[in-house]
């Protein structure tokens, strides 16, 4: 799940926007970017994505923070990756991010903002393999929604796309903070004819703050490779032979394991997440299988900060005559 950032320098003569015009401009500019995205998806016979306003607001805040700190790309100076940022904002679905940055020595006009948005989209769609991460993100056949975040100030403009895969109706979501002894439950039901394929739990160290120059130099991101995988529990098959004998077939995975969590008749599932690596950051990915697609789809990127459990002090006692 690697994604790359786009940074550009431009020279456009412009006059600054008044502050009172910013929100109206943001609304229409967001609609403009959404039309560009769905225009390009239609060219490749992909369904349109819907605007997710709440995630867009998260993207706005991230872009504004980048301008404030002088950074660009996928990582903020707080050390959070896109899936951490989305998760800590309250997101429970799968997410993939595109990011673009523009800089100049003068303030941007409204016309310049529209031009930069269009150029950003065109540059992403013009990418060629193997450096075509932005294009692949825009053309993700599994994306259902998109958050479009943006911010500008003077000669700085930041733009992000947060493509979302919404394939689970969540009935129980994970906390964003926990202790190592906790066993929080995740539960839901797959949507759009999908089925639960597996759940993977990824582990990494807690994010750390970093200088803007370091954050900007990171041009891609991915889930950590350290992971544990859990699978639906396989049911035993019962069959009665002609002579009345009941035959029981024990179904197993290739490694002899029967599975880790139950899936109901309607596809509903529940699983208690174990924190097997101690303190750190865990990201839970629910994988679903879509009809007509061979590979499973990451339908969640939920990150949890896990700290060591508080030790309960043992009170000494003594007895005497």
């Amino acid at each position: 799940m690697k994604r790359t950032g786009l940074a550009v320098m431009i020279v456009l003569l412009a006059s600054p926007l008044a502050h009172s015009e910013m929100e109206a401009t943001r609304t229409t500019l967001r609609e403009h970017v959404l039309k560009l995205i769905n225009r390009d998806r239609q060219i490749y016979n992909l369904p349109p994505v819907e605007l997710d306003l709440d995630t867009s607001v998260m993207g706005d805040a991230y872009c504004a923070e980048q301008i404030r700190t002088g950074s660009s790309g996928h990582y903020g100076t707080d050390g959070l990756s896109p899936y951490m940022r989305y998760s800590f904002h309250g997101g429970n679905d799968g997410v993939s991010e595109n990011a673009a940055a523009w800089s100049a020595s003068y303030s941007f006009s409204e016309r310049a903002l529209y031009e930069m948005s269009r150029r950003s989209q065109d540059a992403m769609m013009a990418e060629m393999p193997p450096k075509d991460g932005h294009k692949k993100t825009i053309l993700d056949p599994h994306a259902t929604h998109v958050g479009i975040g943006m911010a500008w100030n003077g000669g700085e403009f930041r733009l992000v796309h947060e493509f979302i895969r919404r394939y689970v109706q969540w009935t129980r979501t994970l906390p964003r903070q926990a202790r190592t002894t906790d066993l929080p439950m995740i539960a839901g039901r797959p949507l759009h004819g999908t089925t639960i394929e597996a759940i993977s739990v990824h582990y990494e160290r807690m994010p750390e703050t970093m200088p803007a120059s370091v954050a900007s130099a990171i041009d891609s991101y991915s889930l950590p490779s350290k992971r544990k995988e859990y699978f639906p529990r396989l049911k035993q098959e019962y069959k009665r032979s002609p002579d009345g004998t009941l035959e029981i077939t024990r179904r197993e995975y290739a490694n002899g394991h029967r599975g880790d969590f139950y899936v109901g008749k309607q596809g509903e599932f529940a699983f208690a997440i174990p924190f097997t690596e101690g303190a750190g950051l865990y990201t839970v990915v629910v994988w679903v299988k879509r009809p007509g697609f061979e590979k499973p789809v990451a339908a969640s990127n939920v990150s949890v900060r896990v700290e060591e459990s508080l030790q309960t002090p043992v009170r000494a006692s003594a007895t005497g005559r």
Side-chain angles (χ1 to χ4, degrees), residues 6 12 25 110 122 154 173-174 177 201 210 214 231 283 295:
L6 180 72
L12 286 177
T25 299
E110 183 173 333
D122 291 346
T173 58
L174 290 172
Q177 291 187 331
V201 181
M210 63 181 77
V214 174
F231 297 94
T283 299
K295 295 182 178 180

Side-chain angles (χ1 to χ4, degrees), residues 33-288:
V33 174
L34 179 64
K35 288 180 180 179
L36 293 175
I37 289 172
N38 283 329
R39 175 204 66 186
D40 291 333
R41 288 178 63 86
Q42 184 179 28
I43 292 173
Y44 286 82
N45 297 316
L46 294 173
V49 288
E50 297 179 26
L51 180 67
D52 187 297
L53 186 56
D54 185 60
T55 304
S56 298
V57 171
M58 178 205 76
D60 292 343
Y62 175 57
C63 289
E65 180 66 12
Q66 283 191 317
I67 292 176
R68 188 187 70 80
T69 59
S71 62
S72 62
H74 297 296
Y75 283 82
T77 54
D78 55 8
L80 298 185
S81 66
Y83 57 86
M84 296 178 200
R85 191 162 48 249
Y86 174 70
S87 182
F88 295 150
H89 181 72
N92 292 291
D93 304 299
V95 66
S96 298
E97 180 182 87
N98 281 340
W102 295 77
S103 298
S105 59
Y106 46 81
S107 297
F108 294 131
S109 67
E110 183 173 333
R111 182 185 69 82
L113 295 175
Y114 276 85
E115 180 69 10
M116 288 183 290
S117 298
R118 183 189 63 78
R119 289 191 185 184
S120 296
Q121 181 74 16
D122 291 346
M124 292 176 183
M125 290 302 298
E127 292 174 342
M128 299 295 290
K131 295 183 178 182
D132 58 345
H134 296 97
K135 183 177 181 179
K136 285 181 176 179
T137 302
I138 294 170
L139 300 181
D140 179 3
H142 309 298
T144 59
H145 297 73
V146 65
I148 301 170
M150 61 191 69
W152 60 93
N153 187 12
E156 297 293 333
F157 176 58
R158 301 291 187 273
L159 172 68
V160 293
H161 304 156
E162 307 289 351
F163 283 89
I164 299 169
R165 296 170 169 181
R166 191 159 288 159
Y167 288 96
V168 176
Q169 179 181 337
W170 303 101
T171 56
R172 189 164 181 173
T173 58
L174 290 172
R176 284 2 184 215
Q177 291 187 331
R179 298 284 182 180
T180 52
T181 53
D182 294 343
L183 206 63
M185 181 78 70
I186 190 171
R189 181 176 63 84
L191 300 172
H192 313 306
T194 61
T195 55
I196 299 300
E197 189 83 357
I199 296 174
S200 60
V201 181
H202 302 250
Y203 173 80
E204 59 193 298
R205 294 171 57 185
M206 292 284 197
E208 298 179 354
T209 58
M210 63 181 77
S213 58
V214 174
S216 301
I218 304 174
D219 62 1
S220 66
Y221 73 94
S222 63
L223 286 168
S225 58
K226 191 169 190 177
R227 60 189 278 182
K228 290 185 180 294
E229 296 181 337
Y230 303 91
F231 297 94
R233 191 164 179 80
L234 297 175
K235 297 179 180 179
Q236 295 186 139
E237 294 181 350
Y238 300 89
K239 181 180 180 182
R240 191 171 294 278
S241 62
D243 62 1
T245 303
L246 182 64
E247 299 179 354
I248 302 176
T249 302
R250 179 186 172 93
R251 299 179 63 200
E252 298 177 344
Y253 289 101
N255 61 1
H257 189 44
R258 291 193 61 198
D260 307 284
F261 59 93
Y262 286 98
V263 175
K265 293 182 179 180
Q266 303 301 319
E268 65 274 16
F269 69 97
F271 182 56
I273 307 299
F275 302 130
T276 59
E277 303 297 330
L281 190 131
Y282 293 75
T283 299
V284 179
V285 181
V286 174
W287 298 89
V288 301

